[in-house]
Amino acid sequence: FLLAHMLKPPPILMCAPVDAGASIADSPEPSRRPFTPEPVVVMVTPPTSPPTSPLLSPPPPTLRSPIAQRSCGRSSSLPTANDPGDDSFCMQLYSPGEEGLINPTHIAIRRQVLEIRRTQSGKVYFQCGCCAHLPRGERGAKYSTIAPTSLKNLYHAFIRFMMYHVPACPHIPQEIKELQPPSATKDVKASGIKKYWRANAIAKGLRDSDNGRGIIYQPESS
């Protein structure tokens, strides 16, 4: 039986007839699955603030000297459009013979830089004569004009002018800027200097206004 099974012929596979006129293009295409791209997930990490460093901290407020604290403030608004300057009036704070009475640096500024001017209503103000020919917004330094509220405050207003305007004004001669910093003279105390400033202003005809809001020029009251 085993021998007869081994000698049995293999089965014949029958193929379906093929149409000679058919082409490969006519054959049905296999079904294709449309391609769908996978979504791309982008991870965004919020920026982290840099660590706080003592070097990046805001600086502490500057401590000013008592004189600077009293002197700092806004520059004078005089003259104004409603109260223009009187171009016919111009005086000097400097007086001959004050050498040795006040600081030499102050004398140079009083003689060559600072002018006494007034408005048409009679209000007195002081201005830098080196940059006065320019409009106020083009002078290159603040405090080009100062208007003390009284003769008592004249000296402190001058110190403010010395501190803020003189070093920054591009029109003041360099030889004046290079003078020694102002300090009290050896022979006169600071209180005596302030008294001289007030007495000298009165001798030039300057007075406190009746309403206490500035200085006026009244030489007839001398």
Side-chain angles (χ1 to χ4, degrees):
F1 176 79
L2 178 61
L3 181 61
H5 181 73
M6 295 177 61
L7 295 177
K8 185 179 179 179
I12 299 175
L13 300 177
M14 301 298 291
C15 297
V18 179
D19 187 2
S23 64
I24 297 177
D26 297 334
S27 59
E29 296 183 357
S31 59
R32 295 181 179 180
R33 184 179 180 183
F35 174 74
T36 304
E38 296 182 359
V40 179
V41 180
V42 179
M43 301 297 295
V44 178
T45 304
T48 57
S49 58
T52 304
S53 171
L55 298 178
L56 302 178
S57 307
T62 304
L63 298 179
R64 292 175 171 173
S65 64
I67 291 182
Q69 291 177 8
R70 292 193 300 267
S71 300
C72 63
R74 296 181 180 179
S75 58
S76 169
S77 59
L78 297 177
T80 64
N82 296 328
D83 192 9
D86 181 2
D87 295 335
S88 64
F89 181 89
C90 183
M91 297 175 59
Q92 280 186 336
L93 271 173
Y94 169 78
S95 296
E98 65 184 23
E99 288 79 5
L101 299 177
I102 59 176
N103 187 277
T105 304
H106 291 178
I107 294 176
I109 299 298
R110 286 161 60 96
R111 187 173 188 175
Q112 303 182 48
V113 178
L114 198 62
E115 297 177 344
I116 306 174
R117 306 300 296 265
R118 72 176 178 184
T119 65
Q120 293 185 2
S121 68
K123 296 179 181 179
V124 171
Y125 63 96
F126 303 83
Q127 74 175 9
C128 173
C130 299
C131 61
H133 62 285
L134 297 173
R136 186 172 300 178
E138 301 177 7
R139 294 177 183 177
K142 60 181 181 179
Y143 296 103
S144 60
T145 61
I146 53 176
T149 57
S150 66
L151 294 176
K152 180 180 179 181
N153 296 327
L154 174 58
Y155 178 77
H156 291 309
F158 176 81
I159 295 298
R160 178 176 58 194
F161 178 82
M162 287 281 298
M163 292 175 59
Y164 295 102
H165 185 78
V166 173
C169 180
H171 306 282
I172 296 178
Q174 189 64 29
E175 57 267 19
I176 295 180
K177 294 183 178 183
E178 293 176 354
L179 295 175
Q180 294 296 324
S183 60
T185 59
K186 296 181 180 180
D187 300 331
V188 183
K189 295 183 179 180
S191 58
I193 295 176
K194 296 177 185 178
K195 291 180 180 179
Y196 173 82
W197 275 73
R198 187 175 185 277
N200 177 263
I202 293 175
K204 292 182 177 294
L206 303 183
R207 298 288 183 273
D208 291 335
S209 63
D210 295 335
N211 57 10
R213 296 181 179 179
I215 301 173
I216 60 176
Y217 178 68
Q218 288 185 349
E220 63 275 7
S221 301
S222 302

